[in-house]
Amino acid sequence: KMSGEGAAYAEAIAKCLTDRVSYVRVQAVEAIAGCGEIGQMYAGEVCRAMFDGDSRVRLAAIATMPRLGARGAAFAEEVASLMDDPAPEVRAACIRALGNLDSPEAVGYLPTLLQLADTDESDAVREAVREAATSMRAIENRAGAAAAGDSDRDDDDEDLEEARAAALAAARQR
């Protein structure tokens, strides 16, 4: 994370998102995430980078979206649209990002992810689905507990333990 002084350069960094050189665009995407709250203002520009012609830029942008907080989570639909990408590494990154967005909007894609687990040919995609599904179920559980007015720490601990157990079971199935 950048200091306040580094964040002052966020606008200049954001301009590099459209540089002709893909390496510069990758570095700009990653630097935006390091700008903290100021960097979050550029979530829309980072979202556009998810559709860059260079897969390295796309992968960096996808991985950055969860680091942009609520503003990154607002682009859950755009992130999810990449589940159909022809490149398995992009599909896997998109699925991991959805699992890390920590938002109810992203959790809405859980049924689609579970379908991918049965149909996608890529082992990396199927593994990403298992990880994301575990995260999303924990988010669902927290949201359900909050909606019910149950904010007991013990229940949160139980949800976390259930998510860990599910992840461990999935890892053992491999």
Side-chain angles (χ1 to χ4, degrees), residues 12-91:
I13 294 168
K15 288 180 182 176
C16 293
L17 291 169
T18 59
D19 196 275
R20 291 182 332 160
V21 178
S22 63
Y23 177 77
V24 172
R25 295 192 307 272
V26 168
Q27 295 304 309
V29 164
E30 293 172 355
I32 285 292
C35 290
E37 286 184 39
I38 292 173
Q40 292 177 14
M41 294 187 311
Y42 297 97
E45 287 82 351
V46 173
C47 178
R48 278 192 285 284
M50 292 191 318
F51 301 94
D52 192 280
D54 187 302
S55 65
R56 293 170 298 180
V57 176
R58 290 169 45 217
L59 289 168
I62 293 164
T64 296
M65 293 310 285
R67 296 175 56 201
L68 298 177
R71 292 186 183 193
F75 291 97
E77 183 177 351
E78 288 79 0
V79 173
S81 73
L82 295 169
M83 285 191 281
D84 295 332
D85 195 276
E89 62 274 9
V90 171
R91 292 194 309 273

Side-chain angles (χ1 to χ4, degrees), residues 1-10 34-35 38:
K1 198 165 192 171
M2 289 187 190
S3 67
E5 184 178 315
Y9 296 102
C35 290
I38 292 173

